[in-house]
Amino acid sequence: AGDKYNLTLDATYYSGGFVGGANASWFISASPADFTPAASYSGFSFTDWDRDAYGSKPLPANVILDEGKSVLDANGHLEISQTSELGKYTGGSTVTFSCNVTDVAGNLVSGRTSLHVHPSLVYAGIRSQSYVGIEGEPSLFDLIVLDWQSNPIANQALTVDIIHREWFSVQQKDEQGTLRWVTTVKDTPVASGLKATTGADGLTQISFIPPSGGVYKALVHVKDSKGNNQQSSQYIWVSGKEYIPWQQTNDRSFKLVADKDSYSVGDTAKILIAQPFEGDHYALVTYERGHIYEQKVILLKGNSTIYELPITKDMAPVAYVSVVVIKGADEKSSPDFKIGMVRLNVDLAQQQLDVSIKMDKESAGPRDQVTYTVTVKDYAGKPVQAEVSLALVDKAVLALAP
């Protein structure tokens, strides 16, 4: 952002020659475009996003930056100078230059091109090692700095701010007289200016100890050689000893938070049950996919219990965990219940088979007998029993296939 750039247009006839002196109408538009890193860094967040921006006005999908009408020179050439600006798209944008040219016969032809406007020469990414934390225990964040081509940047200084997000919810009557939860958010800085420097691999870490339960947002800041700033964020949910005022909803749902984006067989998923009821309550926990595989009733001590679920191979590729919390009647309120559900992605690596085929001879003639040996191994390279099918097809037939 802030760099000057030139947009050029050249119009020629299909049969040759320049479309000189033709009228051209053009416009330049911008749309949001976040940085997409190489697949190996896809677990990092490279944008500053607000996961609780409910009800706020979304950014427009497209805005016009400039437009005008011009006349091409004798060589059918047009050049427009611009200065790149981020505007509302602080995470980056795609700028599109579109132009309509009308020739002497009144025929209109259109063309367009685009470029990516970056907020900085480098991007800082952040990844929480676990989305679920515990009050008073360290929570670790991995940090990385990449250039536009996803090359790691070494010896890059970073600063990190930690913000505690608190919800304040009250019940108010709407126009129909129905009680509804109305919530406001307060963000309080709890740690500012934490310093870190990337290593040769572009990576580094910072540690933070949450002083209480709740939602925390970590913001990493980077400044490039031209003084441009860029920032990215990540959230964690922290289990606490005291009651936590999670966001109240006007339906029967509450949030379940899994500690990781995906799991391998043998892992243990840690799921934060962020239910809204005070005190101790019973909950029905089920693991399901299509039908219920397992169910149990547990006692929740407080409203930020962490439930642990061992990951087994039958859960691949995806499993769902649901929690139904029942609150009994008391002197303040009537009975109530809330439901939460979370998806667990499970790696299929341990269910993949390695199949190899060997022949007892390299070539054979008509009516010769050939023996094929089929070997099947599991992910660890151990032989396993398996049902196999074998198809023999003449390659000449395949060569005739469309």
Side-chain angles (χ1 to χ4, degrees):
D3 291 343
K4 294 185 181 297
Y5 62 93
N6 293 325
L7 298 168
T8 60
L9 169 73
D10 291 286
T12 59
Y13 288 107
Y14 183 75
S15 58
F18 303 116
V19 189
N23 294 322
S25 59
W26 54 269
F27 62 91
I28 302 170
S29 62
S31 57
D34 294 330
F35 173 64
T36 302
S40 55
Y41 303 113
S42 61
F44 289 85
S45 167
F46 288 91
T47 60
D48 179 14
W49 57 292
D50 189 352
R51 62 163 295 105
D52 299 313
Y54 303 113
S56 61
K57 293 183 179 180
L59 291 175
N62 190 285
V63 296
I64 301 298
L65 300 178
D66 197 3
E67 58 185 322
K69 295 183 178 180
S70 305
V71 177
L72 306 188
D73 65 17
N75 295 321
H77 181 80
L78 173 66
E79 187 166 321
I80 300 172
S81 296
Q82 294 283 317
T83 300
S84 58
E85 296 179 359
L86 291 174
K88 296 181 179 180
Y89 307 130
T90 56
S93 65
T94 296
V95 173
T96 301
F97 173 52
S98 304
C99 189
N100 301 320
V101 177
T102 305
D103 65 11
V104 293
N107 298 312
L108 186 145
V109 178
S110 301
R112 66 172 53 189
T113 188
S114 62
L115 59 90
H116 192 142
V117 177
H118 298 271
S120 170
L121 295 174
V122 294
Y123 282 88
I126 183 169
R127 176 181 63 191
S128 55
Q129 291 195 1
S130 174
Y131 295 123
V132 174
I134 299 176
E135 175 186 337
E137 297 186 12
S139 290
L140 291 175
F141 294 91
D142 297 324
L143 310 175
I144 192 166
V145 179
L146 304 176
D147 64 13
W148 297 350
Q149 289 75 40
S150 293
N151 298 312
I153 304 299
N155 300 317
Q156 177 68 56
L158 299 168
T159 59
V160 177
D161 299 327
I162 307 293
I163 297 170
H164 184 205
R165 171 156 292 186
E166 297 177 276
W167 293 97
F168 298 91
S169 303
V170 295
Q171 284 188 310
Q172 296 180 357
K173 288 186 177 181
D174 60 15
E175 295 178 354
Q176 288 74 38
T178 303
L179 280 175
R180 298 182 62 83
W181 287 104
V182 177
T183 59
T184 56
V185 175
K186 179 183 178 182
D187 288 340
T188 305
V190 294
S192 300
L194 303 178
K195 304 294 185 181
T197 303
T198 59
D201 56 359
L203 289 163
T204 187
Q205 284 185 343
I206 61 111
S207 176
F208 163 70
I209 298 178
S212 60
V215 179
Y216 290 84
K217 178 181 181 180
L219 271 166
V220 57
H221 308 266
V222 66
K223 179 179 290 188
D224 67 11
S225 58
K226 293 185 177 181
N228 297 309
N229 295 297
Q230 187 268 336
Q231 63 185 38
S232 305
S233 62
Q234 187 59 273
Y235 291 81
I236 60 170
W237 287 257
V238 177
S239 174
K241 301 173 184 177
E242 305 294 332
Y243 175 78
I244 300 171
W246 306 110
Q247 181 191 16
Q248 293 280 2
T249 62
N250 287 300
D251 53 22
R252 291 291 181 185
S253 68
F254 69 89
K255 190 169 187 61
L256 294 182
V257 181
D259 64 324
K260 296 167 64 177
D261 291 319
S262 62
Y263 299 88
S264 298
V265 175
D267 290 348
T268 298
K270 296 180 180 180
I271 302 169
L272 177 64
I273 304 175
Q275 56 91 10
F277 303 131
E278 293 190 60
D280 299 344
H281 302 282
Y282 285 98
L284 172 65
V285 181
T286 62
Y287 141 53
E288 55 196 80
R289 186 183 64 237
H291 64 274
I292 295 175
Y293 287 84
E294 182 180 324
Q295 62 185 29
K296 63 173 61 176
V297 175
I298 62 173
L299 177 62
L300 303 180
K301 293 286 188 179
N303 76 325
S304 60
T305 300
I306 296 178
Y307 177 73
E308 296 189 356
L309 177 66
I311 302 299
T312 56
K313 65 179 182 179
D314 58 325
M315 293 181 177
V318 63
Y320 294 89
V321 175
S322 68
V323 178
V324 181
V325 182
I326 307 295
K327 183 190 82 68
D330 54 34
E331 61 277 5
K332 296 182 180 179
S333 59
S334 57
D336 202 355
F337 71 93
K338 290 276 188 175
I339 302 173
M341 179 172 285
V342 66
R343 168 177 171 150
L344 305 180
N345 298 309
V346 182
D347 187 6
L348 283 168
Q350 294 195 21
Q351 293 186 328
Q352 293 179 346
L353 298 175
D354 179 20
V355 181
S356 61
I357 303 176
K358 290 185 178 180
M359 298 186 300
D360 64 341
K361 57 186 68 175
E362 293 185 2
S363 61
R367 300 189 180 185
D368 286 352
Q369 178 147 350
V370 179
T371 300
Y372 293 90
T373 302
V374 180
T375 304
V376 182
K377 298 181 180 180
D378 63 12
Y379 74 99
K382 297 179 181 179
V384 294
Q385 288 186 333
E387 294 183 1
V388 299
S389 62
L390 182 65
L392 297 177
V393 182
D394 191 333
K395 289 186 69 174
V397 175
L398 295 178
L400 297 175

